[in-house]
Amino acid sequence: MTSKELKALGIEVENLGTSTGSKWFSKGGLIASYSPTNGKLIAKVQSSTKKEYEKVMQEAEKAKLEWRDIPAPKRGEIVRQLGEKLREVKPLLGKLVSYEMGKSYQEGMGEVQEMIDICDFAVGLSRQLYGNTIHSERPGHRMYDQYHPLGIVGIITAFNFPVAVWAWNAALALVCGDVVVWKASEKTPLCAVACQKIIADILKANKLPEGISSIVTGDKGVGEWISSDERIPLVSATGSTRMGKIVATTVAQRLGKSLLELGGNNAIIVTPSADLKMTIIGAVFGAVGTAGQRCTSTRRLIIHESIYDKVKKSLVDAYKQIKIGDPLDIKHHMGPLIDTDAVDMYLNALEKIKEEGGKLLTKGEVLQGKGYESGCYVTPVIAEVENHYEIVQHETFAPILYLIKYKGELEEAIALQNGVKQGLSSAIMTNSVRESELFLSQNGSDCGIANVNIGTSGAEIGGAFGGEKETGGGRESGSDAWKVYMRRQTNTINYTTNLPLAQGIKFDL
């Protein structure tokens, strides 16, 4: 990206990394953001001190009192304006996502579109924060439940979706009457700065409190501050299972609520009746999209033995067509991994596969030469393995696709799919109604997302997003996921002159 393009998003060579609204202040050490596309320094962001974090929280505490009293449809109007501004900056912000994170430009644009979509969803939701009317067993009584804002929502996001996950949380939290404090990944701080500048301008134009939206930049220490802060009733954290367990434990110790979106180990089951052309497209995109760095990336392909060799050959042939390079060049299917630490993890995984008896069907290597100077470009790998291998049981955030054979009925494949600790996304490729219904039944996939004849990646915002087991059990985005951002209250009103007790209890004086 050019300096002019960065400046248009509010990014200079050095940026302050702590903000309430449009007020920026930081005195911590510098965090340098290097592009994995070329290894060049993009800009530096100053990290936050504990004193600055306290200032953010004080502003958030004040802002929540005013924000919660604004009618929900008017809060929705602010989110509508955010969506409109995102439409204006979509090409630039999408480019920044691609440049700082490394995903393809099309995927960067798609991520900003997710932000726009969730804003549209939240605007409609602002007039639909419904409670229920409940029939009372006592005459002359009315019961109902309603939802109130929680207050402050802490948001901790990962590098792989540096803007969309913030928007999923922020758009819903804002229409629900909450204010937000965001700790973005230290690997993609500039995306957070750009988003904060966008929403800060909207808040300022509408003469709203600065503390409605804040960011606090830094390492895991900032996440620890948020997780342990009793002023934050809800912490939404996206990242590794290891990180999620720490957040969940810390938040639970103070009886707060956590919304966790953690690791995935996603599988596609390929049955004998599957449309193989669709299967190959879904599997390849799921495995190499974002260089395998999506929580919904396809990690395992569980294939019936009768079609195993045919699917294997088609996949190997398809991988020969994958173009790897600068993600801003739309001719490329796959960009780099986020950094050289991720490359080391990829290489270690390949060694582990071979040590456990697996076979690499495509060569795994770090690309070198012109265009690959960052040292973060690798080739996608297909490997034949057994589901019980230790390396297969764990999520590796890299473009490694495991092929696993099943021999019997669909129940065997489902058992293999469910036989990992993660439970985020799953899919089946089949033309059998019976197979698809079994897969979606209580005896089928144990994941939070289960698809038929599409891959594991590419969820729409209209449905609740999240998974079970070590994925954390959280739900974000669509459906009724908004309820986690609010506190539920049951109300009973007696409009008579008598005081009958529930359950027919008599208490006469």
Side-chain angles (χ1 to χ4, degrees), residues 295-430:
C295 52
T296 56
S297 289
T298 305
R299 309 288 177 201
R300 298 174 295 145
L301 215 57
I302 302 170
I303 311 164
H304 192 270
E305 63 175 355
S306 64
I307 56 170
Y308 182 86
D309 289 337
K310 186 174 183 180
V311 172
K312 180 173 70 172
K313 182 181 184 304
S314 296
L315 280 169
V316 171
D317 289 343
Y319 268 50
K320 293 175 183 177
Q321 302 174 49
I322 298 297
K323 297 181 176 65
I324 306 166
D326 182 354
L328 292 176
D329 185 338
I330 60 173
K331 295 193 301 291
H332 294 143
H333 300 101
M334 192 179 106
L337 294 175
I338 184 65
D339 55 26
T340 53
D341 288 341
V343 173
D344 290 341
M345 181 178 62
Y346 159 87
L347 293 173
N348 291 337
L350 298 186
E351 289 304 312
K352 187 69 174 175
I353 291 168
K354 290 183 283 187
E355 287 173 11
E356 293 195 65
K359 180 182 178 182
L360 303 186
L361 300 178
T362 59
K363 186 178 181 181
E365 61 180 337
V366 182
L367 296 175
Q368 298 177 338
K370 186 177 181 181
Y372 305 127
E373 291 85 357
S374 68
C376 297
Y377 291 88
V378 302
T379 56
V381 171
I382 303 171
E384 288 184 301
V385 299
E386 298 290 338
N387 200 60
H388 65 268
Y389 288 179
E390 182 183 359
I391 188 62
V392 177
Q393 290 288 310
H394 293 88
E395 178 187 45
T396 301
F397 234 46
I400 302 174
L401 178 63
Y402 300 122
L403 303 192
I404 300 163
K405 185 185 296 184
Y406 79 98
K407 299 180 180 180
E409 299 300 317
L410 179 59
E411 286 84 353
E412 178 188 342
I414 291 172
L416 289 169
Q417 180 205 273
N418 295 346
V420 295
K421 292 183 178 180
Q422 307 82 5
L424 178 53
S425 186
S426 59
I428 187 171
M429 294 294 184
T430 179

Side-chain angles (χ1 to χ4, degrees), residues 125-361:
L125 181 66
S126 69
R127 295 180 183 271
Q128 301 177 75
L129 301 175
Y130 299 140
N132 296 308
T133 299
I134 305 156
H135 288 280
S136 173
E137 67 185 55
R138 290 166 285 184
H141 285 60
R142 181 166 68 90
M143 294 176 63
Y144 66 96
D145 57 27
Q146 60 179 329
Y147 292 85
H148 297 300
L150 285 173
I152 302 173
V153 172
I155 304 171
I156 301 172
T157 60
F159 73 86
N160 59 331
F161 280 85
V163 295
V165 175
W166 168 76
W168 286 2
N169 285 275
L172 296 190
L174 290 175
V175 298
C176 288
D178 302 317
V179 303
V180 295
V181 176
W182 181 19
K183 188 271 181 204
S185 170
E186 58 268 39
K187 295 183 180 183
T188 51
L190 301 178
C191 287
V193 169
C195 290
Q196 178 64 12
K197 286 181 176 289
I198 291 169
I199 195 167
D201 288 345
I202 293 169
L203 295 174
K204 187 175 182 179
N206 287 273
K207 297 181 172 58
L208 289 167
E210 298 275 353
I212 291 173
S213 176
S214 306
I215 63 170
V216 186
T217 300
D219 59 14
K220 66 179 183 179
V222 176
E224 292 168 355
W225 299 341
I226 290 174
S227 300
S228 60
D229 197 327
E230 293 184 354
R231 294 168 294 185
I232 302 178
L234 172 66
V235 177
S236 175
T238 302
S240 68
T241 296
R242 179 191 59 79
M243 177 276 290
K245 288 180 177 179
I246 295 170
V247 171
T249 301
T250 304
V251 175
Q253 285 176 340
R254 59 180 178 83
L255 297 182
K257 295 199 299 182
S258 55
L259 192 170
L260 302 174
E261 297 290 355
L262 310 176
N265 197 345
N266 316 296
I268 299 176
I269 295 173
V270 187
T271 71
S273 69
D275 182 319
L276 295 189
K277 182 178 180 181
M278 287 173 54
T279 298
I280 298 304
I281 294 172
V284 174
F285 173 73
V288 307
T290 322
Q293 296 172 116
R294 291 186 178 211
C295 52
T296 56
S297 289
T298 305
R299 309 288 177 201
R300 298 174 295 145
L301 215 57
I302 302 170
I303 311 164
H304 192 270
E305 63 175 355
S306 64
I307 56 170
Y308 182 86
D309 289 337
K310 186 174 183 180
V311 172
K312 180 173 70 172
K313 182 181 184 304
S314 296
L315 280 169
V316 171
D317 289 343
Y319 268 50
K320 293 175 183 177
Q321 302 174 49
I322 298 297
K323 297 181 176 65
I324 306 166
D326 182 354
L328 292 176
D329 185 338
I330 60 173
K331 295 193 301 291
H332 294 143
H333 300 101
M334 192 179 106
L337 294 175
I338 184 65
D339 55 26
T340 53
D341 288 341
V343 173
D344 290 341
M345 181 178 62
Y346 159 87
L347 293 173
N348 291 337
L350 298 186
E351 289 304 312
K352 187 69 174 175
I353 291 168
K354 290 183 283 187
E355 287 173 11
E356 293 195 65
K359 180 182 178 182
L360 303 186
L361 300 178

